[in-house]
Amino acid sequence: MTKVLIALTCYNDTFYADGTKTGVFVVEALHPFNYYKEQGYDVDFVSETGKYGFDEHSLSADFLSGKDKEQFEDKNSAFNQALAKTKVAADVNPSTYKIFFASAGHGTLFDYPTAKNLQKIASDIYANNGVVAAVCHGPAIFDGLTDKDTGKPLIQGKVITGFTDIGEEILGVADILKQKKLDTVEDIAKKYHAKYMAPIGPWDDFSIADGRLVTGVNPASASSTAKRTVQVLNSLN
């Protein structure tokens, strides 16, 4: 059975101007989980420390409603059962997984760039001819992530997308990011000489693949990003 590893941010602290916390953006973990399970894949969750917490904005009706909300609130759902077994990154054997999917939330900007064990897992999966993906702020994982075969940054010279700087402005967090000296996805793309591709609109469903590297731009793109990883994986066989 094909195994997928979904990474979670372990950062869960006050971030927004209204005093609420950031952390895992629920649907950016839930939608990929559901898609992979529908494909018959085995899915595990992992964070650098094995801990996680949710972005409080992602729990609002604007982002979590209907069946998503029901699944999230059902303690016995497959999603919550998998979350309860979230792995510590240092304990994971990368050779058993074919897809690494970095879920998001602004929390990733705090911990993914220094999450060396998560980055090692992604690097190993990529080196083993697997697929590495990230959605929204998930590309923060690429800050310091190297391609084992070349020794160069994994995204160097590649085309990626991720949450837009315009989106940060619209959300009213651009100044907060500057104050906390956090790089945006566009900053990271520039830093490692990747080509950043923006969607027409910051809230559009938009995902792209450059070889075995797959990225998506926002919560609405979480499912399409996961779907694209499966298409890429199938094309390798």
Side-chain angles (χ1 to χ4, degrees):
M1 180 181 286
T2 301
K3 295 189 71 174
V4 179
L5 191 63
I6 298 179
L8 307 171
T9 174
C10 57
Y11 186 89
N12 188 218
D13 209 341
T14 302
F15 171 73
Y16 298 103
D18 61 6
T20 54
K21 295 179 179 181
T22 188
V24 178
F25 204 92
V26 176
V27 297
E28 291 173 350
L30 176 62
H31 289 174
F33 176 84
N34 284 341
Y35 179 77
Y36 290 130
K37 294 297 282 187
E38 288 166 6
Q39 301 306 304
Y41 291 180
D42 191 7
V43 186
D44 290 327
F45 286 108
V46 63
S47 76
E48 189 72 0
T49 64
K51 306 293 184 182
Y52 66 90
F54 294 108
D55 182 296
E56 292 180 288
H57 282 196
S58 77
L59 304 175
S60 71
D62 288 342
F63 295 108
L64 190 65
S65 60
K67 290 184 178 179
D68 289 344
K69 185 177 174 68
E70 289 177 17
Q71 191 176 0
F72 178 74
E73 292 180 346
D74 178 3
K75 293 180 180 179
N76 294 316
S77 69
F79 177 66
N80 280 318
Q81 288 180 347
L83 281 174
K85 299 174 184 175
T86 297
K87 298 176 179 293
V88 177
D91 297 339
V92 168
N93 178 1
S95 68
T96 62
Y97 298 93
K98 295 303 292 181
I99 297 173
F100 176 94
F101 188 104
S103 71
H106 280 92
T108 61
L109 301 181
F110 289 87
D111 72 322
Y112 275 6
T114 56
K116 297 307 178 188
N117 291 310
L118 279 182
Q119 290 181 343
K120 182 181 183 300
I121 292 168
S123 183
D124 286 350
I125 290 173
Y126 193 82
N128 290 335
N129 208 37
V131 180
V132 171
V135 69
C136 202
H137 294 90
I141 197 75
F142 300 133
D143 188 357
L145 178 55
T146 58
D147 182 336
K148 289 180 70 176
D149 291 338
T150 65
K152 296 178 180 178
L154 183 65
I155 60 172
Q156 183 175 311
K158 293 189 174 69
V159 181
I160 70 164
T161 192
F163 200 67
T164 65
D165 285 357
I166 292 172
E168 306 290 14
E169 294 279 358
I170 294 170
L171 290 180
V173 299
D175 287 341
I176 295 173
L177 296 179
K178 289 173 185 173
Q179 289 165 10
K180 295 184 180 294
K181 297 181 179 178
L182 296 171
D183 287 337
T184 66
V185 174
E186 291 192 42
D187 290 333
I188 292 166
K190 290 174 188 172
K191 182 176 178 180
Y192 294 100
H193 306 289
K195 181 181 178 183
Y196 177 83
M197 187 175 289
I200 294 173
W203 313 116
D204 293 347
D205 180 351
F206 182 71
S207 59
I208 57 175
D210 187 341
R212 291 180 290 110
L213 181 68
V214 180
T215 48
V217 82
N218 54 26
S221 311
S223 291
S224 69
T225 305
K227 184 175 182 179
R228 203 171 287 276
T229 64
V230 171
Q231 292 170 344
V232 171
L233 189 64
N234 289 341
S235 74
L236 302 174
N237 299 328

